Amino acid sequence: MEATQKKRGFVMRALDSIERVGNKLPHPVTLFAIFALLVIVASGIFSSMGVQVDDPLNEGEVLTVKNLMSSEGIAYIFESAVTNFTGFAPLGTVLVTMIGIGIAERSGLISAGLRGLVTSVPKQLMTAALVFGGIMSSMAADAGYVVLTPLGAVLFAGLGRHPLAGLAAAFAGVSAGFSANLLLTSLDPLLGSLTQEAAATVDPEYAAGMNYMMNFYFMFASVFVLTIVGTFVTDKIVEPRLGEYKGAYKGDVDFLKPEEKKGLWAALFAFIATIAVMALLVVPSWGPLRGDGSFLEAPFFHTLVPVILIMFFIPGLVYGMITKSIKNDKDVANQMSDTMATMGAYIVLAFVAGQFVAYFNETNLGLVLAVNGAELIQGIGFDSENRFMSILLILVFMIVAGFINLFIGSASAKWAIMAPVFVPMMMGLGYSPELTQLAYRLADSTTNVISPLMPYFAIVIAFAQKYDKKVGIGTLISTMIPYSVFFSIVWVIMLIVWIFTGLPIGPNAPIDYVG
């Protein structure tokens, strides 16, 4: 017993240390400003040292570091400030997709859909429904955290099960399974645009052929696998560990109202009709989004941002009209405006991040680091033709990404920092940008539920404290660690299978990169 307490004490001290270190980190806006300043200083230092590498884009030529501390560099900083912001790849992508997602969310469609999903299944399948619903909730950005997580606790309490187990199952699906989905989400174009931008520094032609569905096959299959694993962990590990719930709070399940059910059916028909219309644009040989080549090379795959907008906007609009949450065009405009108002923090972050990414590319520091890093790793013996070494390298990369996620919660913020370095580096070793992005997404998702600095972590604790006032950071992390471990193991196994079989991880998205 004493040894167990000491062990738990050590874990708690380690978690407290992570929290203290993370809380001392600057705001992401400040962090990117510091990184941008460091790039400027580093460009001056490495330029004066004459650092250069063989140009991976032009055989026989060398690549030098451009000095942003020179007269020309300072002029560039001022002249490019606006275009660095407006040209920041994820900016338009996120804002456009959020218009459609915002209508679906603010009209009530997302909330009703999630509640309808988990309240209409048999009791025996409740755990699986919660995990599955959590995973699918990523199509509505962060709505699952505030809708499904507390709903999971209420449903379990109403069934006489431990409410924290229901909360954990929903939280695991929403957060640890955030990257998986049966549909495209706003995360796909958000990360994909950063990946394409980083890949273009090495091979612009290859980057131009990439599409935002680059991880779709793998993530589609992951939904079913993670649902099974999350159900097993909840029923066999988490709930038995929590024991019998003896609290008095049971809660009331907010079941769907008749008008909400009617609205959901109407939204479903609208969604099917929208898919049918989109299919006419891309499936027939004469379709304007089909193009002249094969289906997988169709222009459709490069227009997914407005497609996502439409697929959320139309069902959300129909639902709102049926339930009267949208009465006229002013309501539509107001809901879209309200959604954009919540994006203020992201827009500020995009301005600073855009400067950092632009400076990094302009100075050639990304390519210099990538080439030197690739040569170093090759010297160690990592070779894409050796599948065992490929797996080892990917695992090392995932560990690094997962560790960083403990301190920086935003998936896009981390990838904006990591992509310019790791994507070119992995391409130099023969690994596709699509594979690098996939490995990052897996590591980022599985460590979300054990990161005290994840933005919604404190909110989940507040939900849990309705049922147990003693719940704190350590309680929640210890409850979620089994999900993190099992999801990581299963995803790594899936990735190994994909690598050894050479299956594409998405449309026109291979495992290997051949320049």
Side-chain angles (χ1 to χ4, degrees):
M1 183 71 176
E2 184 177 350
T4 302
Q5 291 179 343
K6 288 182 179 179
K7 184 178 180 181
R8 288 178 61 84
F10 171 77
V11 172
M12 289 300 297
R13 288 195 300 271
L15 296 175
D16 290 342
S17 298
I18 291 174
E19 183 180 12
R20 284 195 298 270
V21 172
N23 287 336
K24 291 179 180 179
L25 285 175
H27 188 280
V29 171
T30 307
L31 202 60
F32 273 109
I34 293 172
F35 286 149
L37 181 62
L38 289 176
V39 169
I40 295 173
V41 174
S43 71
I45 295 174
F46 289 124
S47 177
S48 64
M49 294 172 58
V51 174
Q52 62 182 33
V53 295
D54 292 332
D55 190 344
L57 301 178
N58 302 292
E59 189 173 352
E61 298 184 16
V62 296
L63 196 66
T64 59
V65 177
K66 294 183 181 180
N67 184 7
L68 292 188
M69 298 181 69
S70 64
S71 298
E72 294 81 3
I74 294 174
Y76 164 80
I77 291 174
F78 282 89
E79 293 171 353
S80 65
V82 175
T83 55
N84 291 344
F85 171 50
T86 58
F88 184 53
L91 177 63
T93 296
V94 171
L95 295 183
V96 170
T97 56
M98 285 307 297
I99 291 175
I101 292 174
I103 289 293
E105 181 178 4
R106 293 179 183 277
S107 68
L109 172 60
I110 299 299
S111 176
L114 291 175
R115 285 187 288 119
L117 172 66
V118 298
T119 57
S120 60
V121 299
K123 294 181 179 180
Q124 297 84 351
L125 299 177
M126 183 59 68
T127 305
L130 278 174
V131 178
F132 177 80
I135 294 171
M136 291 299 295
S137 72
S138 62
M139 64 184 177
D142 297 335
Y145 288 105
V146 295
V147 175
L148 201 59
T149 302
L151 180 60
V154 171
L155 288 170
F156 266 48
L159 294 173
R161 301 176 63 179
H162 202 298
L164 294 188
L167 178 142
F171 185 35
V174 172
S175 195
F178 188 76
S179 281
N181 210 288
L182 300 180
L183 304 171
L184 290 179
T185 71
S186 59
L187 188 66
D188 291 281
L190 174 61
L191 298 184
S193 57
L194 290 169
T195 304
Q196 283 183 293
E197 192 172 10
T201 62
V202 175
D203 192 338
E205 184 178 352
Y206 184 92
M210 296 169 61
N211 65 80
Y212 295 149
M213 295 183 71
M214 62 183 77
N215 298 150
F216 182 69
Y217 296 161
F218 189 96
M219 291 309 180
F220 185 95
S222 295
V223 172
F224 304 102
V225 175
L226 294 186
T227 297
I228 295 172
V229 174
T231 301
F232 170 81
V233 172
T234 302
D235 293 345
K236 302 300 181 182
I237 298 176
V238 172
E239 191 166 14
R241 176 178 175 272
L242 290 171
E244 182 183 355
Y245 178 61
K246 299 180 180 180
Y249 189 92
K250 297 298 181 182
D252 296 318
V253 179
D254 188 12
F255 289 98
L256 293 176
K257 300 175 182 177
E259 62 269 23
E260 290 178 319
K261 293 181 179 179
K262 185 178 179 181
L264 283 176
W265 278 111
L268 176 60
F269 290 134
F271 181 72
I272 294 173
T274 305
I275 291 179
V277 173
M278 295 303 302
L280 289 176
L281 296 177
V282 67
V283 175
S285 58
W286 46 263
L289 296 181
R290 173 61 184 266
D292 300 326
S294 66
F295 176 74
L296 293 181
E297 296 174 348
F300 167 78
F301 293 104
H302 299 283
T303 62
L304 291 176
V305 172
V307 169
I308 292 174
L309 184 155
I310 293 170
M311 299 302 287
F312 279 96
F313 182 88
I314 292 178
L317 178 63
V318 171
Y319 178 87
M321 293 171 64
I322 296 296
T323 60
K324 306 302 181 183
S325 61
I326 295 178
K327 299 181 180 66
N328 50 48
D329 63 305
K330 293 181 181 179
D331 290 335
V332 176
N334 288 336
Q335 289 186 8
M336 290 191 292
S337 298
D338 290 343
T339 299
M340 289 298 102
T342 64
M343 301 303 295
Y346 177 78
I347 293 173
V348 174
L349 177 63
F351 174 79
V352 185
Q355 309 306 316
F356 162 72
V357 172
Y359 296 167
F360 207 69
N361 292 334
E362 179 69 17
T363 59
N364 293 323
L365 280 172
L367 281 175
V368 170
L369 289 173
V371 171
N372 286 324
E375 291 177 352
L376 175 63
I377 294 175
Q378 283 177 331
I380 297 175
F382 288 111
D383 181 4
S384 63
E385 294 183 1
N386 185 325
R387 290 304 188 194
F388 289 102
M389 297 303 291
S390 297
I391 293 168
L392 181 59
L393 177 59
I394 294 298
L395 290 179
V396 171
F397 170 71
M398 291 176 65
I399 291 172
V400 172
F403 178 76
I404 294 175
N405 189 42
L406 295 177
F407 303 96
I408 305 176
S410 171
S412 58
K414 289 192 297 295
W415 194 229
I417 297 170
M418 298 176 68
V421 176
F422 286 99
V423 169
M425 182 186 298
M426 301 292 267
M427 290 174 71
L429 294 169
Y431 306 101
S432 72
E434 296 91 338
L435 177 63
T436 306
Q437 177 183 288
L438 175 62
Y440 168 76
R441 292 178 67 169
L442 304 187
D444 178 74
S445 289
T446 53
T447 49
N448 276 338
V449 290
I450 58 172
S451 172
L453 303 177
M454 194 269 293
Y456 288 93
F457 202 86
I459 295 176
V460 175
I461 290 178
F463 290 148
Q465 287 176 342
K466 289 184 178 181
Y467 304 92
D468 186 349
K469 297 294 184 182
K470 298 180 181 179
V471 171
I473 292 176
T475 307
L476 185 57
I477 290 180
S478 64
T479 301
M480 301 312 297
I481 281 178
Y483 295 102
S484 182
V485 171
F486 275 81
F487 278 26
S488 296
I489 292 174
V490 169
W491 253 339
V492 167
I493 293 173
M494 286 181 63
L495 190 59
I496 290 173
V497 172
W498 240 269
I499 290 175
F500 271 102
T501 58
L503 293 171
I505 52 181
N508 286 333
I511 295 292
D512 300 316
Y513 165 73
V514 180

